[in-house]
Amino acid sequence: DESNTSTIIGLEEDFIAKAGNLVGSNTSGVWQANFSDVQLPFQERALMLCKRVHIGIVPVGSTSFPIMADTTLEWNTHLLIYAVSSFAEQTTPRSSLIFDASATVSGITFIDRDLDMLELGGLITWSPPAEAGRIDFYCVYLALGPAGLLRSLLGDVIPVGTNQATILPETQLTFNTHLVVYTQSSLTEQTSGGTIAVSDSEATVVEIDFVDFDLDMDNLGGTLHWTPPLDTSLVMHYVIYLAELRSETKSWMPESIGGIGQGEDNDVASAVDITYGEENSSTDIRFNSFL
C-alpha cells in the first residue's frame, strides 16, 4: 500500500485521554507498534489538531523506534505515528498515551561513624520506590548539593532488592554536602535522585595532660588525662599509642596499630573503627607501640 511507504513519529501535548488504537510497550526504550482497523475515537480524531514535536522518521518495514533517554517530555501527553506516501502525510494518526515512569527512593538515613573531621564512614539505607519493577540498580553518590552537582560514585552499583550500602571509613567529604541515591534501569540512570544532607561526625579529645613519675631514663610511668569530645554518642572506647616525632618529612601515617584497647565500662557507647592519618606541614609522627 503506497500510504505505508514511511512513518513519522511525534509527540503531542494537549489531550490526556488515551486513544487505544496504538498498542505500545517501551522495553529498553523502544516502542513496539501494533495497528488495528477500528473506528477512531473522538480523542484520537482531536489529536489531529494538536501541536506536534517531530522526533523521527522510520522506513517502511520497521515497526519500532528507539526513544533516547532523557528525551524532554514537557507538556506532551501522547505519541503519534503517521503513515506517509510519496504524495502526502496522512492527517489522522494512531496515538498512544505516554506513561512517564518515575522511581525515586525515599526515607534515606545515614549516620557518619568516621569520627574524623571531613571524613565519612557508615551505613546508608533507603526505602525503595513503590514501583520498582523497572529498576536494575541503585547508585550512591557524594554530591555538591541535593541536585547531584559534581557527584562522585561511592563504591559499586547496588542491585535492586538491596536497600543499603556501606560507605567506607576515611571517605573524603571535601566540599560535598549531600549523599544522593539514584535508580538505574536497563536504559539509563535517573537524573533526579533521593537525597540527604551530610552530617559530619567529629569526636577528638582535647587538653591532653601527662606527667612522668618514672624517674628512670627511657621509662615512663604516670596517668594520662584528657578532656573527652563534646559528643561521645558514637565513641565506643579510646586507644592510646606511643609515637615517634620525626621532622625530616612533611607527612605522617601509622606504621602499625597494635590493637584496640578497651575503655572503662561506662565511658561511652556504640562502635567505631579508629584509624589515623593526616598531613602535617613540618613533622612526621609514627606509631611505635600500643599501650
Side-chain angles (χ1 to χ4, degrees), residues 14-231:
D14 290 325
F15 288 84
I16 297 178
K18 180 176 181 179
N21 296 311
L22 175 63
V23 180
S25 63
N26 64 340
T27 304
S28 300
V30 177
W31 281 84
Q32 304 288 344
N34 297 314
F35 295 94
S36 59
D37 293 325
V38 296
Q39 184 176 357
L40 295 178
F42 168 77
Q43 293 94 336
E44 190 156 298
R45 295 197 304 271
L47 293 177
M48 298 160 44
L49 306 176
C50 296
K51 178 181 178 181
R52 300 174 299 173
V53 179
H54 180 266
I55 61 174
I57 297 178
V58 180
V60 67
S62 297
T63 58
S64 65
F65 177 77
I67 298 177
M68 302 301 293
D70 299 327
T71 296
T72 302
L73 183 60
E74 295 182 335
W75 296 281
N76 297 298
T77 60
H78 287 72
L79 284 163
L80 306 180
I81 301 181
Y82 293 79
V84 181
S85 71
S86 59
F87 181 70
E89 174 186 313
Q90 67 179 160
T91 57
T92 304
R94 288 294 192 265
S95 67
S96 178
L97 179 68
I98 296 172
F99 172 73
D100 184 18
S102 177
T104 302
V105 304
S106 59
I108 301 175
T109 64
F110 173 72
I111 297 176
D112 177 24
R113 297 187 182 276
D114 186 312
L115 303 184
D116 290 306
M117 187 177 293
L118 297 180
E119 292 183 359
L120 299 180
L123 189 69
I124 180 172
T125 65
W126 59 85
S127 298
E131 296 292 336
R134 303 181 187 184
I135 300 174
D136 290 336
F137 301 101
Y138 299 104
C139 303
V140 180
Y141 294 90
L142 261 178
L144 183 60
L149 181 65
L150 300 178
R151 61 184 181 269
S152 56
L153 181 65
L154 298 178
D156 298 323
V157 296
I158 311 300
V160 66
T162 300
N163 301 313
Q164 63 182 37
T166 299
I167 298 177
L168 296 178
E170 300 182 6
T171 296
Q172 299 298 309
L173 182 59
T174 59
F175 297 104
N176 294 300
T177 59
H178 286 73
L179 288 164
V180 189
V181 181
Y182 288 80
T183 56
Q184 181 177 319
S185 69
S186 59
L187 177 65
T188 188
E189 178 182 290
Q190 69 176 154
T191 56
S192 298
T195 182
I196 185 173
V198 172
S199 178
D200 183 21
S201 301
E202 194 272 337
T204 303
V205 303
V206 294
E207 298 182 6
I208 299 176
D209 178 68
F210 174 73
V211 177
D212 178 21
F213 285 96
D214 188 316
L215 303 183
D216 292 312
M217 182 69 69
D218 295 329
N219 290 333
L220 293 180
T223 303
L224 176 65
H225 299 274
W226 62 87
T227 300
L230 293 177
D231 183 2

